[in-house]
Amino acid sequence: RVLLASYAGDYARSWGRAARNTIAANAQLLGFGIASDSKANSDWETTSGASMVTAGIGGAFTGRGADLLVIDDPVKNWKDAYSPLKRDAAWEWYRSTARTRLEPGAAILLIMTRWHEEDLAGWLLSEEPGEWTVVKIPLVCEVPDILGRLKGDRLWPEYFTEDDVRERSKNAMIFSALQQQRPAPESGDFFKREWIMPNTYGHVSELPDLTYY
């Protein structure tokens, strides 16, 4: 039993439709297909008894249990990511609705771009430490990673050229969040006021460690 949620019901429903159509097209190979009375893209079952239900963040999964909860792109855009109301709503939905649907032994898969330190991923890593396995794939590799890349290697270098990366990195805050999956605090990540202006008691005692791409 799979529950799938995304930032909007229509977007989640499109993934439900894609999964449904894939099973229907490969029924003979799989040994099961879509139940004849399952017509909706957002709520369907297979002939083997499995099921998928989709909803938008904030939507209801009333009466449904999940062996797998998939949360894909819970944030629509930068504007929503920087809205405290939107962030709080996503967290409350997760705590009060999504997580309560889990059956014993269930798993959660969260797939998202890191937009803000206090987005859903940030909350989960803070409130449920040790419960999550994090797979981070930045545009520019920072340490040897799961793809076998070395520091400085670009993701899909044929598409993301050096010039393209240089252009994207001009906005350090957006680049750090969207491309590097390392959201920066609103007070600044690359350049902070206290690095430049001396405080009441004297100058900064430690220089920042800056990384350039």
Side-chain angles (χ1 to χ4, degrees):
R1 291 167 294 182
V2 179
L3 300 182
L4 185 148
S6 189
Y7 65 84
D10 288 346
Y11 186 62
R13 190 158 45 249
S14 72
W15 285 113
R17 179 173 61 251
R20 184 182 184 280
N21 291 346
T22 299
I23 292 174
N26 294 277
Q28 186 173 359
L29 176 65
L30 294 170
F32 61 87
I34 301 297
S36 59
D37 59 349
S38 289
K39 305 259 183 211
N41 295 319
S42 61
D43 187 349
W44 49 264
E45 296 183 359
T46 70
T47 54
S48 65
S51 64
M52 172 175 274
V53 178
T54 69
I57 298 296
F61 288 126
T62 305
R64 304 288 186 159
D67 299 302
L68 173 63
L69 170 63
V70 180
I71 305 174
D72 179 43
D73 277 337
V75 179
K76 181 180 181 180
N77 52 33
W78 187 271
K79 180 181 177 181
D80 285 359
Y82 273 76
S83 165
L85 291 177
K86 292 282 188 180
R87 294 198 306 270
D88 290 347
W91 175 237
E92 287 303 321
W93 170 84
Y94 171 81
R95 292 197 307 172
S96 64
T97 300
R99 211 179 196 292
T100 62
R101 301 290 93 202
L102 299 181
E103 299 288 348
I108 305 174
L109 175 62
L110 171 61
I111 308 164
M112 69 176 294
T113 296
R114 293 299 313 276
W115 297 80
H116 191 280
E117 287 185 305
E118 295 180 357
D119 56 22
L120 184 56
W123 274 107
L124 292 174
L125 293 174
S126 173
E127 298 296 321
E128 300 177 356
E131 293 190 30
W132 294 87
T133 298
V134 179
V135 179
K136 183 174 75 168
I137 305 177
L139 174 58
V140 180
C141 186
E142 297 175 333
V143 295
D145 67 10
I146 193 172
L147 299 179
R149 298 185 300 166
L150 301 177
K151 183 176 181 179
D153 289 348
R154 304 185 307 280
L155 185 68
W156 195 6
E158 296 84 3
Y159 184 86
F160 295 109
T161 64
E162 288 188 12
D163 288 342
D164 183 42
V165 172
R166 190 176 299 110
E167 184 65 27
R168 290 169 181 263
S169 65
K170 287 181 179 179
N171 188 318
M173 190 172 183
I174 293 179
F175 183 79
S176 182
L178 269 65
Q179 270 72 51
Q180 295 303 105
Q181 299 300 289
R182 181 166 30 81
E186 294 182 68
S187 60
D189 183 37
F190 284 76
F191 298 98
K192 298 181 186 295
R193 180 181 178 87
E194 61 267 25
W195 294 349
I196 302 171
M197 300 294 293
N199 57 35
T200 306
Y201 304 100
H203 294 278
V204 176
S205 59
E206 190 173 323
L207 292 175
D209 177 19
L210 298 179
T211 302
Y212 295 91
Y213 299 101

